């Protein structure tokens, strides 16, 4: 052991001359990247601070990356190796990569932790973490939880509270930007939090008046992780982290490796909008492509939801002259035209002339010099529809072998990646765009934001969570198919009251505050969307 310590010490001394930004100096290792300072001690614990902050974020080292075996958290790994890859380069960009390994060896458990910290030149103030655990015993280990980027942020003595961005979605339809008072906890689970509410933006950001810190994961598809924010009673610090819990445990066999999700930590000045913007840029560098703005999406819109589901066609057509006079460029036909969710043919009580009358209605809108948009609740199917009667296997099944309810419409979730769902959706778009002539879609419903794991055996998924992860591919297909039919089509996503899933955002060109509860929500939701999407069409509400 003495020999290895001497070897490591000599290595650090040699390295000091080549890169003064990473040093031991008889103390913790230090990484300086822009205004981000990361210190690593001999147990692979970290301390994160901002060079711009008036006082330290973190006073003490924390076990920021840890793993739980059975019910025991393993959080201290004696460092045994370190390597710098200077001028590191990959598909994302160039920078420095720091490789550190440590060993936990106690009570019959021998576990190796490998920590990769990557700092890209193009993303100053942000560091990417990749953590791997290796079973070095001859016995299987059961992993029940892992946690990354767990940090306690001290309050600035000049402040009275923290502010935060917390991008999860629940039926409470809570603010995304809020204070963090004492005795506060919010789980921020990115899976389903209620029957038909879930998903969101996989970031939490906590800031003080002088600086802030953000953490999150950088996987290119949704993950069922939590990003809890908590502050104890009478506490002067707030803790953030990202974690995943395994209900039945994950068996790590001898010599096998277990990798957590790639995660990040970043620091910033001011509020959360800079970190949201930089996170999006990083995800773009990883390969996530967002739709370009559509000029017509910025035009004024009149929505017929003011007449609600009980509208008559005469009411809507009779309003078009006034809508044109006021200056509206779009008219939206909302909920109530259809036979039912899933059966999207016209309701004969509203359109006795059938599809021909719907075509004429769209022609009337066009004759007024306006474009026509149609309301739609994709992935929803009502219990008594022809679609479900003829295709009972189209619905998503929960672990209890039951359909999942969508509350507002008393409908069921369809599986987003089942071939019958895709075929039905494509035929529906043929009718909406090719046959009826609509110019855009108002996709609506909190259920669009996330789906629960799908346990239906006929859907032949590799694992139930695959439905959750591949949900964005459904909206990608809708966006691309609609735009292929009408190149300037506007596609709106209105996940009622939800913080829209970050992974659904690339496949829209119009956002909405989505049933806001306050003017505060309207303003700050718009700022969040613009921080992520840049120049994007956004409006306050439908009516």
């Amino acid at each position: 052991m003495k020999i290895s310590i001497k070897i490591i010490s000599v290595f650090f001394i040699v390295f000091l001359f080549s890169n003064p930004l990473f040093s031991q100096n008889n103390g913790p290792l230090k990484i300086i990247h822009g205004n981000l300072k990361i210190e690593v001690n001999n147990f692979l614990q970290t301390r994160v601070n901002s060079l711009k902050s008036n006082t330290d974020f973190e006073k003490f080292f924390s076990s920021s990356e840890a793993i739980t075996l059975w019910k025991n958290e393993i959080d201290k790994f004696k460092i045994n190796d370190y390597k710098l890859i200077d001028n590191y380069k990959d598909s994302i960009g160039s920078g420095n990569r720091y490789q550190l390994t440590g060993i936990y060896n106690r009570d019959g458990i021998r576990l190796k932790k490998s920590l990769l910290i990557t700092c890209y030149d193009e993303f100053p103030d942000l560091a990417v973490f990749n953590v791997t655990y290796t079973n070095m015993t001859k016995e299987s280990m059961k992993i029940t939880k892992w946690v990354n980027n767990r940090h306690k942020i001290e309050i600035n003595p000049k402040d009275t509270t923290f502010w935060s961005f917390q991008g999860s979605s629940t039926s409470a339809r809570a603010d995304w930007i809020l204070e963090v008072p004492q005795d506060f906890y919010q789980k921020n689970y990115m899976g389903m939090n209620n029957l038909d509410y879930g998903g969101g933006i996989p970031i939490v950001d906590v800031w003080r008046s002088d600086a802030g810190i953000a953490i999150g994961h950088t996987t290119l598809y949704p993950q069922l992780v939590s990003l809890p924010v908590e502050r104890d009673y009478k506490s002067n610090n707030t803790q953030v982290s990202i974690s995943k819990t395994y209900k039945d445990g994950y068996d790590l066999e001898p010599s096998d490796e277990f990798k957590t999700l790639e995660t990040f930590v970043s620091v910033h000045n001011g509020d959360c909008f800079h970190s949201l913007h930089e996170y999006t840029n990083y995800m773009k560098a990883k390969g996530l492509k967002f739709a370009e703005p559509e000029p017509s999406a910025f035009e004024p819109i009149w929505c017929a939801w003011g007449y609600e589901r009980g509208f008559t066609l005469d009411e809507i057509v009779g309003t078009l002259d006034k809508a044109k006079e006021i200056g509206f460029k779009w008219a939206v036909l909302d909920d109530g035209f259809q036979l039912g969710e899933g059966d999207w043919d016209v309701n004969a009580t509203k359109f006795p002339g059938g599809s021909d009358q719907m075509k004429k209605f769209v022609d009337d809108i066009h004759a007024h010099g306006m474009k026509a948009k149609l309301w739609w609740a994709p992935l929803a199917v009502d219990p008594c529809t022809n679609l479900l009667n003829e295709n009972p296997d189209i619905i998503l099944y929960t672990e209890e072998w039951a359909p999942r309810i969508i509350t507002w419409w008393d409908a069921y979730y369809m599986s987003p990646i089942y071939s019958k769902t895709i075929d039905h959706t494509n035929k529906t778009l043929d009718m909406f765009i090719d046959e009826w002539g609509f110019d855009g879609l108002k996709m609506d419903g909190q259920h669009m934001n996330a789906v629960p794991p799908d346990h239906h055996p006929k859907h032949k998924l590799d694992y139930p969570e695959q439905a959750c992860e591949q949900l964005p591919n459904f909206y990608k297909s809708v966006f691309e198919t609609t735009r292929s039919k009408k190149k300037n089509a506007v596609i709106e996503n209105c996940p009622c009251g939800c913080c829209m899933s970050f992974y659904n955002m690339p496949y829209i060109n119009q956002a909405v505050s989505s049933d806001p509860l306050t003017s505060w929500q309207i303003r700050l939701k718009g700022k969040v969307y613009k921080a992520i999407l840049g120049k994007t069409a956004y409006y306050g509400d439908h009516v």
Side-chain angles (χ1 to χ4, degrees):
M1 189 66 184
K2 291 180 180 179
I3 294 175
S4 64
I5 291 175
K6 288 180 180 178
I7 292 173
I8 293 171
S9 299
V10 171
F11 184 87
F12 281 126
I13 292 171
V14 172
F15 176 65
L16 274 172
F17 290 102
S18 63
N19 191 335
L21 296 183
F22 191 100
S23 62
Q24 191 174 33
N25 293 331
N26 298 317
L29 310 178
K30 295 180 183 179
I31 300 172
I32 306 296
H33 182 53
N35 292 316
L36 174 65
K37 180 172 74 171
I38 302 174
E39 298 171 273
V40 187
N41 69 12
N42 288 333
F43 294 101
L44 290 186
Q45 296 173 307
T46 69
R47 181 167 60 189
V48 171
N49 281 291
S50 169
L51 299 181
K52 288 287 189 178
S53 59
N54 298 328
T55 59
D56 283 348
F57 278 157
E58 282 196 291
K59 292 182 179 179
F60 309 104
F61 282 89
S62 65
S63 298
S64 50
E65 288 72 45
I67 193 164
T68 300
L69 302 179
W70 299 281
K71 294 184 179 181
N72 301 315
E73 183 176 88
I74 310 299
D75 59 356
K76 293 182 180 179
F77 296 79
K78 183 68 175 178
I79 190 169
N80 74 332
D81 193 19
Y82 159 74
K83 179 182 179 182
L84 166 70
I85 303 178
D86 203 0
N87 297 319
Y88 174 80
K89 190 172 184 178
D90 60 17
S91 60
I92 296 171
S94 58
N96 291 332
R97 168 167 277 188
Y98 308 89
Q99 298 182 350
L100 303 100
T101 61
I103 302 294
Y104 178 91
N105 190 6
R106 186 177 176 183
D107 300 329
I109 298 173
R110 185 171 172 82
L111 191 67
K112 182 174 76 171
K113 174 181 175 180
S114 300
L115 175 61
L116 296 181
I117 303 176
T118 309
C119 300
Y120 293 99
D121 297 335
E122 190 175 348
F123 301 99
D125 310 332
L126 183 150
V128 178
F129 281 61
N130 287 274
V131 186
T132 303
Y133 298 94
T134 305
N135 183 355
M136 300 180 70
T137 70
K138 295 182 180 180
E139 303 293 333
S140 175
M141 299 178 180
K142 189 171 287 292
I143 298 170
T144 54
K145 181 180 178 180
W146 60 260
V147 59
N148 280 7
N149 303 112
R150 178 169 54 191
H151 300 287
K152 282 189 175 181
I153 304 102
E154 299 291 330
I155 198 165
N156 188 329
K158 297 180 180 180
D159 296 341
T160 58
T161 189
F162 296 94
W163 281 90
S164 68
F165 171 83
Q166 302 184 55
S168 60
S169 295
T170 74
S171 58
R173 301 188 175 190
D175 295 342
W176 310 345
I177 295 177
L178 65 159
E179 290 183 83
V180 182
Q182 292 176 336
D183 196 21
F184 176 92
Y185 176 81
Q186 187 162 302
K187 186 176 181 179
N188 294 312
Y189 181 52
M190 291 290 117
M192 300 303 296
N193 293 301
N194 304 102
L195 269 177
D196 46 0
Y197 286 83
I201 302 171
I203 299 176
V204 293
D205 190 325
V206 174
W207 65 92
R208 322 182 309 188
S209 59
D210 57 342
I213 182 172
I215 66 166
H217 79 75
T218 62
T219 309
L220 291 175
Y221 43 86
Q223 292 289 328
L224 304 184
V225 297
S226 298
L227 295 98
V229 175
E230 50 192 309
R231 185 180 179 191
D232 292 339
Y233 177 65
K234 292 187 177 180
S235 174
N236 286 324
N237 61 61
T238 293
Q239 179 172 285
V240 298
S241 63
I242 178 168
S243 63
K244 183 175 177 66
T245 300
Y246 297 89
K247 178 182 177 182
D248 300 317
Y250 178 94
D251 292 323
L252 184 63
E253 302 298 332
S255 302
D256 279 359
E257 293 183 344
F258 174 82
K259 295 183 178 180
T260 71
L261 300 182
E262 182 181 274
T263 60
F264 79 93
V265 61
S266 67
V267 296
H268 60 89
N269 294 109
D271 50 35
C272 63
F273 302 115
H274 174 77
S275 58
L276 289 168
H277 183 68
E278 285 302 291
Y279 170 71
T280 304
N281 286 339
Y282 179 79
M283 297 298 279
K284 287 179 179 178
K286 286 197 72 172
L288 201 61
K289 296 182 180 179
F290 287 74
E292 293 295 323
E294 173 58 48
S296 64
F298 294 85
E299 296 174 338
I301 304 169
W302 171 67
C303 182
W305 182 239
Y307 293 118
E308 300 187 348
R309 287 174 176 162
F311 72 85
T312 67
L313 196 55
D314 288 343
E315 286 176 325
I316 297 176
V317 173
T319 308
L320 293 178
D321 284 338
K322 179 58 68 175
K324 178 181 179 181
E325 177 186 335
I326 293 173
F328 288 109
K329 302 297 183 182
W330 284 84
V332 184
L333 178 62
D334 214 288
D335 186 7
F337 71 88
Q338 72 280 8
L339 289 172
E341 279 69 53
D343 287 352
W344 296 106
D345 299 285
V346 294
N347 184 334
T349 61
K350 301 289 181 66
F351 292 85
S355 286
D356 288 341
Q357 190 170 10
M358 177 65 88
K359 293 178 197 175
K360 183 180 182 305
F361 169 70
V362 175
D363 289 342
D364 285 343
I365 295 174
H366 290 159
H368 281 79
M370 303 166 72
K371 291 177 279 291
K373 191 198 283 189
L374 183 65
W375 174 90
W376 179 37
L379 293 180
V381 57
D382 288 340
C384 297
T385 52
N386 293 326
L387 174 65
L388 187 56
N389 289 335
E390 295 169 6
N391 304 278
D393 56 335
I394 203 169
I395 58 176
L396 179 151
Y397 266 23
T398 66
E399 190 174 8
E400 293 77 21
W401 193 248
R404 188 62 171 251
I405 299 293
I406 300 171
T407 55
W408 180 256
W409 295 291
D410 298 320
Y412 297 145
Y413 274 93
M414 293 192 286
S415 173
I417 60 176
Y418 188 38
S419 58
K420 288 187 178 180
T421 304
I422 304 303
D423 290 344
H424 162 74
T425 300
N426 288 335
K427 290 176 182 177
T428 299
L429 292 174
D430 289 344
M431 181 169 64
F432 289 170
I433 308 300
D434 294 337
E435 183 179 349
W436 294 349
F438 280 92
D439 307 294
L441 301 171
K442 173 190 171 181
M443 301 190 301
D444 193 25
Q446 63 268 16
H447 70 286
M448 297 193 300
N449 218 47
V451 299
D454 183 6
H455 293 265
H456 202 304
K458 283 194 175 182
H459 299 165
K460 297 181 179 179
L461 277 63
D462 296 332
Y463 48 93
E465 293 78 10
Q466 195 173 22
C468 316
E469 296 173 355
Q470 295 191 15
L471 174 63
N473 290 339
F474 174 84
Y475 295 107
K476 179 181 180 182
S477 177
V478 169
F479 185 87
E480 292 178 348
T481 299
T482 304
R483 298 273 288 185
S484 70
K485 296 175 177 297
K486 193 158 287 191
K487 67 177 183 178
N488 298 119
V490 170
I491 292 88
E492 172 196 343
N493 186 312
C494 178
C496 308
C498 290
C499 181
M500 190 192 303
S501 169
F502 177 80
Y503 299 95
N504 293 348
M505 290 184 192
Y507 313 117
I508 64 167
N509 52 25
Q510 189 174 72
V512 60
S513 64
S514 187
D515 298 331
L517 301 178
T518 63
S519 59
W520 168 268
Q521 287 189 349
I522 292 174
R523 177 171 181 172
L524 293 180
K525 287 180 179 184
K527 286 180 175 289
V528 168
Y529 284 130
K530 290 179 181 181
I532 292 173
L533 298 172
K535 182 181 180 181
T536 188
Y538 170 79
Y539 60 100
D541 207 354
H542 292 300
V543 184

